[in-house]
């Protein structure tokens, strides 16, 4: 049996996180959420990823060409992959998503100066009853 991924993270800067905020898109208002609800990103392939805006064209070109120049790794039974474009600095970092397909929230870890230090995608393995 493969291990389940509880969370995926991306470190932006090595500074202490002093607060957490739910990742939101324009127009999303967390005050409208009821208990047990969240905004999140959808997964339809059992694989989640972090991708900066500069990587959209790189990823689309790779998919359209049928070539997938991914650097794949397995660490502790967990599959990850990286697609990078040295010309633009664009990155896609992919990983197995918790229970597979679904919708998962992203949390932003912020520093004392309110800069983003990290992103955490919560794969919702541990839910309160």
């Amino acid at each position: 049996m493969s291990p389940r991924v509880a969370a995926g993270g991306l470190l932006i800067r090595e500074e202490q996180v002093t607060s957490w905020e739910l990742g939101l898109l324009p127009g999303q208002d967390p005050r409208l959420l009821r208990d047990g609800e969240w905004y999140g990103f959808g997964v339809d392939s059992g694989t989640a990823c972090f991708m900066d805006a500069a990587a959209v064209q790189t990823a689309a070109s790779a998919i359209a060409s049928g070539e997938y120049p991914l650097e794949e790794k397995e660490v502790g039974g967990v599959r990850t992959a990286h697609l990078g474009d040295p010309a633009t600095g664009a990155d896609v970092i992919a990983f197995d998503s918790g229970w597979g397909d679904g919708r998962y929230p992203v949390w932003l870890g912020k520093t004392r100066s309110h800069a983003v230090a990290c992103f955490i995608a919560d794969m919702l393995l541990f839910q309160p009853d």
Side-chain angles (χ1 to χ4, degrees):
M1 180 173 179
S2 298
R4 297 268 179 212
V5 175
L10 184 61
L11 181 65
I12 306 300
R13 59 177 42 91
E14 292 192 36
E15 294 181 40
Q16 183 178 2
V17 171
T18 58
S19 65
W20 292 94
E21 294 179 14
L22 181 62
L24 301 171
L25 293 172
Q28 293 179 331
D29 185 345
R31 297 172 298 181
L32 300 177
L33 298 172
R34 291 177 267 169
D35 285 344
E37 293 183 331
W38 62 88
Y39 294 111
F41 67 98
V43 172
D44 291 324
S45 64
T47 302
C49 75
F50 291 112
M51 174 173 27
D52 60 21
V56 172
Q57 186 57 48
T58 299
S61 295
I63 291 168
S65 71
E67 296 179 22
Y68 301 98
L70 294 173
E71 298 171 31
E72 295 187 41
K73 292 182 182 177
E74 188 172 310
V75 179
V78 176
R79 174 181 68 92
T80 65
H82 172 253
L83 169 63
D85 182 351
T88 65
D91 287 302
V92 178
I93 301 165
F95 53 96
D96 289 337
S97 59
W99 295 112
D101 296 353
R103 188 170 47 93
Y104 301 101
V106 173
W107 295 91
L108 309 169
K110 295 206 169 176
T111 66
R112 187 173 314 283
S113 66
H114 304 287
V116 175
C118 63
F119 295 92
I120 302 290
D122 182 356
M123 298 290 103
L124 303 173
L125 292 189
F126 306 102
Q127 293 293 302
D129 293 331

